[in-house]
Amino acid sequence: MTVYQRGSRGPDVTRIEVRLQELGFYPGPIDDAFGGGVERGVQQFQAKAGLSTTGIVDPVTWASLFQPAAPKAPSLAEKPLAYRCLALTAAFETEAGVPDCFCGLAGSFDGQGISLGVLQWNLGQGTLQPLLKRMDTEHTADMKAAFGDGYAAVHAMLAQDKAAQLAWAAGIQDDKHHVVEPWRSRFKALGRVDSFQQMQVDGANDRFQQGLKMCAAYGVWSERAAALMFDIVVQNGSIKDATKAQIQADFAALPATLSREDAEVARLRIVANRRAEAANPKFVEDVRSRKLAIADGKGKVHGMSIDLATYGIRLVPFG
């Protein structure tokens, strides 16, 4: 049998791309070209299957890849609500869908070395190191698959002090603070790994719980409400008392004849509009479009059409 690797082309490469995409290991185009994205997908599959993470589809990998019992990635709607809410907010922050929304990457334009993920965990503030160290300890195979030949350098960097870590980060960026290849692709590959996405969900849990407390404070009950309040926490921080008083006054003026679902949407729209109006004047309409898209279940944000059904976020109780 032919061995397929970076640079290979043809119908069998298309089969590999389709199969990897079915299994959740490859989000890229189906174009019959074995590129870096396919190679990383193969490495991630090999790591999950307990094979050597070469990124090459040899006969053993081919047989494992196409066996009927190969694992199938769960759909987004089957993920926990905390994951779905983070994915939605990530889409707003990165203007990308799953899984690329988990791959936000920035260099040291702000002096923080490298920032990675939905909430831009970074080396400068010491928030990225714990996530990477936990990945290295608990999901070593995933780390090695994502970073490939660069794994040893990342592993060594994590053992150094912060000054050395920032110096290392500067060494993989250009003069405009862009992370250069192959490091950019390596960090992006890490963001596409299920285990690192779960690390991000865990890292955002305090904000998710804060959002649920805000749902209770405002008497809203739906998955949309949880998504809205979480997005407020991430983008805006909180709702101040003066704005809260306006929201509660608007709630009191709602007709008592509204159905439970219509009343929920009306309350979410009030929260969305009032929080937007309390934002910096430069960002009011940006905040409004983002928050109303959540309240209404769909909308357009930054020119991107958003449908919460895509994220499995519904007008049903989040409990």
Side-chain angles (χ1 to χ4, degrees):
M1 176 191 157
T2 304
V3 170
Y4 301 95
Q5 58 192 327
R6 188 189 286 246
S8 298
R9 299 191 69 98
D12 280 343
V13 174
T14 300
R15 286 189 65 194
I16 292 168
E17 290 173 330
V18 170
R19 186 57 174 157
L20 289 172
Q21 197 165 87
E22 289 174 347
L23 299 174
F25 295 109
Y26 173 64
I30 306 300
D31 59 4
D32 86 358
F34 197 122
V38 178
E39 182 179 66
R40 288 189 295 276
V42 171
Q43 290 173 327
Q44 291 167 12
F45 169 79
Q46 289 170 328
K48 289 284 187 182
L51 304 174
S52 178
T53 55
T54 61
I56 298 171
V57 180
D58 56 15
V60 174
T61 298
W62 179 278
S64 182
L65 190 61
F66 289 100
Q67 66 177 338
K72 182 179 182 300
S75 70
L76 185 54
E78 296 174 304
K79 297 278 191 178
L81 182 59
Y83 180 102
R84 288 177 271 149
C85 290
L86 184 62
L88 177 63
T89 288
F92 293 138
E93 294 290 326
T94 64
E95 300 182 18
V98 175
D100 285 347
C101 61
F102 286 95
C103 304
L105 177 67
S108 195
F109 69 94
D110 54 359
Q112 302 304 322
I114 289 175
S115 300
L116 179 65
V118 179
L119 302 186
Q120 291 291 279
W121 290 276
N122 59 74
L123 295 178
Q125 295 177 341
T127 54
L128 179 57
Q129 293 92 325
L131 269 67
L132 294 179
K133 287 179 180 179
R134 186 178 166 198
M135 278 294 299
D136 199 18
T137 300
E138 299 179 16
H139 303 281
T140 309
D142 287 345
M143 280 283 282
K144 289 181 175 179
F147 285 106
D149 293 342
Y151 168 75
V154 174
H155 180 79
M157 177 271 292
L158 292 172
Q160 297 176 316
D161 61 26
K162 187 182 291 185
Q165 291 170 344
L166 291 173
W168 178 85
I172 61 169
Q173 298 176 44
D174 62 21
D175 57 3
K176 295 183 179 178
H177 306 300
H178 296 147
V179 177
V180 299
E181 294 293 357
W183 289 101
R184 182 174 182 80
S185 293
R186 289 166 175 169
F187 277 106
K188 292 280 188 179
L190 183 66
R192 296 186 183 100
V193 175
D194 287 344
S195 54
F196 190 65
Q197 291 174 18
Q198 186 57 50
M199 293 288 177
Q200 295 188 54
V201 174
D202 294 347
N205 184 60
D206 58 340
R207 302 184 202 197
F208 181 68
Q209 294 302 323
Q210 184 180 343
L212 294 186
K213 289 179 181 178
M214 289 170 64
C215 287
Y218 288 88
V220 288
W221 47 265
S222 63
E223 291 182 348
R224 279 192 211 173
L228 176 61
M229 296 305 189
F230 174 72
D231 196 67
I232 287 173
V233 172
V234 172
Q235 186 189 30
N236 314 109
S238 64
I239 297 176
K240 293 185 177 179
D241 289 342
T243 303
K244 181 177 181 179
Q246 292 174 321
I247 290 171
Q248 291 173 331
D250 291 345
F251 281 7
L254 288 172
T257 55
L258 291 176
S259 69
R260 186 178 187 228
E261 289 74 18
D262 287 347
E264 176 76 351
V265 173
R267 291 188 180 98
L268 297 183
R269 286 183 61 84
I270 288 168
V271 172
N273 279 307
R274 288 298 190 183
R275 186 59 190 85
E277 290 158 7
N280 184 310
K282 294 187 296 184
F283 305 120
V284 168
E285 294 311 315
D286 177 75
V287 175
R288 192 192 309 277
S289 64
R290 176 164 163 168
K291 301 301 185 276
L292 284 177
I294 303 175
D296 293 335
K298 61 180 59 179
K300 185 161 285 191
V301 183
H302 304 146
M304 176 177 62
S305 293
I306 291 288
D307 187 340
L308 267 65
T310 303
Y311 297 86
I313 297 173
R314 304 156 295 167
L315 195 65
V316 299
F318 62 71

